Amino acid sequence: MPNHKRLFGTNGIRGVVNKELTVEKTIKISSAIGNFFQKGNLIVGYDARTSGPMLARAVIAGLTATGCNILLVGMAPTPALQFAVKKHQTDGAVIITASHNPPEYNGIKVIWNDGIELSREQEIKIENIFFNDEINYAEWNRIGTIHDLPGVINDYIDAIKKHVNTDEIAEKQFHVVVDPANSVGSLAAPRLLRELGCKVTTINANIDGTFPGRLPEPRPEYLKDLSLTVKAVNADLGVAYDGDADRAIFVDEEGTIYWGDKTFALIEKHFLMENPGEKIVTPVSSSTLVKDVAEAYGGKIVWTKVGSVTVSHKMKELNAKLGGEENGGVFYGPHQSVRDGAMATALILDIMAKTDGKLSKLLGEMPRYYIEKGRVECPNELKEKTLERLEKEVSGPNISTIDGIKIWFEDKSAILMRPSGTEPIYRLYAEAKNAEKALQLIHEYAEKLKEIINTLKH
Ligand code: MG
């Protein structure tokens, strides 16, 4: 789409508050969203950021001005709000969150009546209303109403419990350490775990929009306190959420932190043992581990472009029941086809209870891969041509061009090369059975990319 001006990024609208995302702009965006929904009933909620209550009022002003009726939840995890859309059969939701971004950011996620974020085509409609100044305000007697919507977190916790064996989990009396990054993860997960009979220890669990405990992206390097606490209190499991609690990263009883595709592969394995033949939806950036498990347990992998909204929509299209991302996103369809940190936690506990296994052992049994990453500078205007040239030059037994280029080799190694959506670079991800091979792939394909980009420059 050349020259189309964008508001939405990969996961909604994001910006630094009072700089890129001002109250004025938020009102105008929300009025455009209100026009898009054509006077519907919409849930509004926000995460723990300092700007949440302020921007929520701007969002409500814009939405009610265009005739939408508001069901106001207030502070809640994103997946709890998405679940409420389906439960209360509203036309959608507007969630004020910047997910894993630092505290000075905030953003707007728009949810459709199926509980999933809008498709690209729907976002374009809102962008057109916004940029063409096509906002229609309601007559004075058609302005939207505002009502509180209580009980959303209760409903959400009860729904999750229906998908796991609560008695079996309770019997084990697991001790779990929860690190919700001082955000909305605090509102659901600790209670869910207590109701599942777990002993719960929390760190960074007081709600504080400055995020004093750690940055809200659950990257392993930010989770050292969680790892140390799990060891110190002899817990069975540790779990960290991102700022809006849709992603979960796990720590085993020895304090080892795992990246998301490892724990997703464990969930996938147990899901396929009970549901052989099912489809597993995952972005092309996921580890070959996810493919190995599908092959070993009779699942069918469906690769998608990178991005949680794409995974959700593909699951809906194919009626698939499980999806997962390497960043800790687990999509459990029987509950809802969106990533959900608390649901992922309940699934891991269910597996630990059912197998009577420690997480270190359960994950230790999975195939092991070594990952290396790299980057190559590439001017934005050459990204597409580079990809076309690359497609002609590379070979391998198994290639996907669904998002960048991914090549899987016979020796179980793989390389993915993707143009960044935000920076003038290509990102490279290599994976292999040993670290040397992964590094060798990065060097080899970085050279190939540089060559192509240099030729295109001259
Ligand atoms: Mg998130």
Side-chain angles (χ1 to χ4, degrees):
M1 181 117 350
N3 300 325
H4 176 82
K5 277 201 270 181
R6 299 290 329 258
L7 272 176
F8 290 87
T10 325
N11 282 99
I13 297 160
R14 298 276 170 89
V16 173
V17 174
N18 285 351
K19 296 214 161 62
E20 294 136 2
L21 192 63
T22 61
V23 166
E24 292 84 348
K25 189 175 176 189
T26 303
I27 293 175
K28 188 178 170 191
I29 291 169
S30 307
S31 301
I33 294 169
N35 270 188
F36 167 79
F37 277 103
Q38 300 183 343
K39 303 185 169 63
N41 297 320
L42 299 175
I43 285 171
V44 171
Y46 42 90
D47 71 17
R49 287 161 200 277
T50 54
S51 54
M54 172 185 86
L55 291 180
R57 279 156 177 81
V59 163
I60 292 169
L63 292 175
T64 50
T66 48
C68 292
N69 298 318
I70 306 303
L71 294 165
L72 179 59
V73 175
M75 219 182 265
T78 289
L81 295 163
Q82 289 172 296
F83 184 77
V85 167
K86 290 208 293 178
K87 163 116 187 155
H88 296 279
Q89 299 184 331
T90 66
D91 296 290
V94 178
I95 304 175
I96 298 114
T97 175
S99 188
H100 62 270
N101 291 138
E104 63 272 24
Y105 282 79
N106 214 332
I108 299 171
K109 284 186 182 179
V110 187
I111 310 295
W112 189 237
N113 62 17
D114 54 7
I116 303 173
E117 277 178 71
L118 298 188
S119 68
R120 187 70 202 98
E121 292 70 32
Q122 291 171 315
E123 288 174 355
I124 289 172
K125 283 185 187 162
I126 294 173
E127 286 166 347
N128 285 339
I129 299 169
F130 180 90
F131 288 114
N132 301 336
D133 286 315
E134 288 168 352
I135 295 164
N136 292 311
Y137 291 100
E139 294 293 326
W140 66 270
N141 56 356
R142 291 276 187 276
I143 289 168
T145 57
I146 306 168
H147 293 285
D148 285 339
L149 182 63
V152 161
I153 289 173
N154 277 343
D155 294 341
Y156 170 66
I157 289 174
D158 288 345
I160 290 173
K161 288 197 300 194
K162 288 192 185 113
H163 297 286
V164 293
N165 191 327
T166 50
D167 293 341
E168 231 170 54
I169 295 172
E171 219 170 89
K172 300 289 180 193
Q173 299 185 309
F174 290 122
H175 185 175
V176 186
V177 183
V178 181
D179 175 358
N182 300 101
S183 193
V184 288
S186 324
L187 299 174
R191 241 183 66 202
L192 166 72
L193 296 175
R194 279 187 204 106
E195 289 182 23
L196 286 171
C198 299
K199 179 177 176 189
V200 180
T201 298
T202 54
I203 61 167
N204 307 323
N206 54 319
I207 295 274
D208 184 336
T210 65
F211 302 148
R214 65 164 168 90
L215 285 171
E217 176 154 29
R219 298 185 63 79
E221 56 265 39
Y222 303 155
L223 304 182
K224 293 201 177 79
D225 286 349
L226 174 63
S227 162
L228 289 171
T229 310
V230 167
K231 288 276 281 175
V233 302
N234 261 324
D236 301 290
L237 179 70
V239 58
Y241 302 109
D242 73 323
D244 65 340
D246 58 354
R247 285 162 53 187
I249 290 289
F250 295 93
V251 174
D252 73 17
E253 79 288 352
E254 288 169 6
T256 308
I257 305 162
Y258 295 90
W259 214 202
D261 29 21
K262 196 121 191 184
T263 41
F264 173 61
L266 179 66
I267 293 171
E268 179 195 7
K269 173 180 162 181
H270 286 270
F271 171 78
L272 286 173
M273 282 162 73
E274 283 165 22
N275 305 276
E278 284 286 343
K279 298 180 191 81
I280 305 298
V281 181
T282 195
V284 75
S285 53
S286 288
S287 168
T288 304
L289 177 58
V290 177
K291 186 168 169 253
D292 291 346
V293 169
E295 281 164 7
Y297 295 91
K300 295 188 189 84
I301 287 275
V302 179
W303 299 109
T304 70
K305 279 186 190 293
V306 176
S308 66
V309 186
T310 313
V311 173
S312 289
H313 283 129
K314 190 49 106 181
M315 285 178 71
K316 192 182 165 195
E317 178 195 325
L318 301 175
N319 196 20
K321 295 194 184 72
L322 188 66
E325 296 175 306
E326 42 82 41
N327 61 15
V330 174
F331 310 61
Y332 188 62
H335 170 55
Q336 54 179 352
S337 302
V338 296
R339 51 188 187 188
D340 188 324
M343 184 72 239
T345 313
L347 289 171
I348 290 287
L349 287 170
D350 199 46
I351 293 166
M352 286 168 64
K354 175 158 59 187
T355 54
D356 203 14
K358 291 188 185 306
L359 192 65
S360 62
K361 181 168 167 285
L362 291 165
L363 293 172
E365 289 164 358
M366 311 293 285
R368 174 125 200 230
Y369 284 93
Y370 292 82
I371 293 168
E372 292 288 342
K373 294 181 182 179
R375 57 186 346 198
V376 170
E377 283 175 31
C378 176
N380 286 331
E381 62 274 15
L382 292 183
K383 279 177 178 171
E384 231 177 276
K385 278 204 175 122
T386 303
L387 198 59
E388 283 168 21
R389 190 70 67 88
L390 198 57
E391 272 181 45
K392 288 193 193 117
E393 289 193 12
V394 296
S395 62
N398 198 349
I399 295 182
S400 167
T401 53
I402 198 161
D403 197 349
I405 293 194
K406 179 143 186 181
I407 314 167
W408 290 272
F409 302 97
E410 304 271 11
D411 65 353
K412 291 257 178 199
S413 62
I415 178 108
L416 170 66
M417 291 161 276
R418 280 182 71 224
S420 160
T422 48
E423 294 171 72
I425 55 165
Y426 259 80
R427 294 185 192 282
L428 292 87
Y429 310 80
E431 192 180 42
K433 284 291 185 187
N434 60 69
E436 298 74 37
K437 173 72 189 190
L439 204 57
Q440 182 220 316
L441 281 173
I442 292 285
H443 288 318
E444 186 184 336
Y445 282 87
E447 280 312 309
K448 205 179 273 282
L449 266 171
K450 280 182 203 160
E451 252 179 64
I452 292 173
I453 295 162
N454 271 331
T455 328
L456 289 171
K457 273 184 186 164
H458 300 112

